[in-house]
Amino acid sequence: YYSAMLGIGELLLSGTTTILDMETVSHTESAFEAMAQSGIRAVSGKVMMDAGGDVPRGLQEQTEASLQESTRLLEKWHGHDGGRLSYAYCPRFVVSCSERLLTEVRDLSASYGVLVHTHAAENQEEIALVMTQRGMRNIVYLDHIGLTSPRLVLAHCIWLDEEERAIMKRTGTKMTHCPGSNLKLASGI
C-alpha cells in the first residue's frame, strides 16, 4: 500500500493523472486501495504468471488460482468511484503464461468487456524465446490464439516486424510505448 502510494504521489507530482499499470502477483488489493485513496485514474490488474522456467517460485501461480483472483479483483474494483478505476486482465507476457491462461483471459476479457494488458516484443531475447517455445513471433502467436483485438493493449513493442504491425492494424490491437523503461533497460527504440 505504501509503496503504491509513494509511486502514485510521484506520478501526481509530475502531472500524471491517469495510468495503465500492471501490479504484482500478490498484494494487488493494496495497490487498488492506494489508487482509490489517491484520486488517480487507473486501468490496472494483477500480474498473472503460471508458466516459465525463469519465473521465481514465489511468483509462479496455479492457473485456476490466478484466474479466480483476477476475476475477484475485477468484480470488486472495475468501475470503482464512477469509473475512475478500471480493471484489466494482466498476463505478464507470453513466456511466463500458459496457453490455457492466455485463452481463458481472452474469453474473460470478452465476457466482462475489459482490457487485457500484457508485454510483447520488448527485447530480442524475448522474441527468440517465444519463437523457441511457441514456434512463432509474439504478435503472430497472440493472433493465432485469438487474443489480438481492440481490447488488447501491448506494452513496449520495440521489435515488431511488418507482419506483426499488419496484424495489430487489422485487429485494432493497441500499443503503449515505454521510453523511460526502454532507456533504463537498453531494450531499444
Side-chain angles (χ1 to χ4, degrees):
Y1 172 84
Y2 292 110
S3 174
M5 284 298 267
L6 176 62
I8 292 165
E10 290 174 350
L11 288 164
L12 292 171
L13 283 172
S14 74
T16 302
T17 61
T18 305
I19 60 170
L20 172 64
D21 199 15
M22 182 182 287
E23 302 309 326
T24 63
V25 168
S26 306
H27 313 296
T28 301
E29 189 91 49
S30 297
F32 268 93
E33 289 169 2
M35 289 182 275
Q37 283 271 308
S38 71
I40 199 160
R41 287 187 302 267
V43 177
S44 191
K46 179 186 114 42
V47 74
M48 305 168 83
M49 294 189 286
D50 72 336
D54 292 341
V55 176
R57 280 182 63 189
L59 297 178
Q60 192 170 76
E61 310 170 280
Q62 295 298 314
T63 307
E64 193 60 38
S66 182
L67 292 162
Q68 287 176 358
E69 177 64 4
S70 290
T71 300
R72 184 192 72 76
L73 289 163
L74 177 148
E75 290 174 350
K76 179 173 182 178
W77 290 103
H78 185 67
H80 180 80
D81 195 17
R84 182 171 56 82
L85 300 182
S86 296
Y87 196 86
Y89 283 97
C90 295
R92 184 166 178 254
F93 67 147
V94 170
V95 298
S96 63
C97 296
S98 67
E99 188 164 307
R100 176 180 170 224
L101 180 79
L102 293 170
T103 56
E104 294 210 26
V105 161
R106 173 201 65 206
D107 296 345
L108 287 164
S109 165
S111 176
Y112 283 98
V114 298
L115 295 176
V116 175
H117 174 212
T118 190
H119 296 192
E122 184 174 1
N123 60 62
Q124 293 175 326
E125 292 80 17
E126 170 204 348
I127 292 167
L129 192 51
V130 172
M131 287 289 295
T132 299
Q133 288 181 352
R134 310 295 164 100
M136 53 192 95
R137 290 175 62 95
N138 280 292
I139 311 311
V140 176
Y141 173 72
L142 294 173
D143 191 53
H144 171 74
I145 64 169
L147 194 55
T148 53
S149 80
R151 288 184 316 281
L152 180 60
V153 181
L154 300 171
H156 305 295
C157 294
I158 299 167
W159 298 101
L160 299 179
D161 67 13
E162 290 304 317
E163 179 183 16
E164 291 174 303
R165 287 186 189 100
I167 290 169
M168 290 181 69
K169 182 177 180 179
R170 174 180 50 79
T171 61
T173 298
K174 309 296 187 280
M175 188 250 336
T176 180
H177 191 50
C178 310
S181 170
N182 299 333
L183 284 167
K184 181 175 114 177
L185 299 172
S187 299
I189 56 172

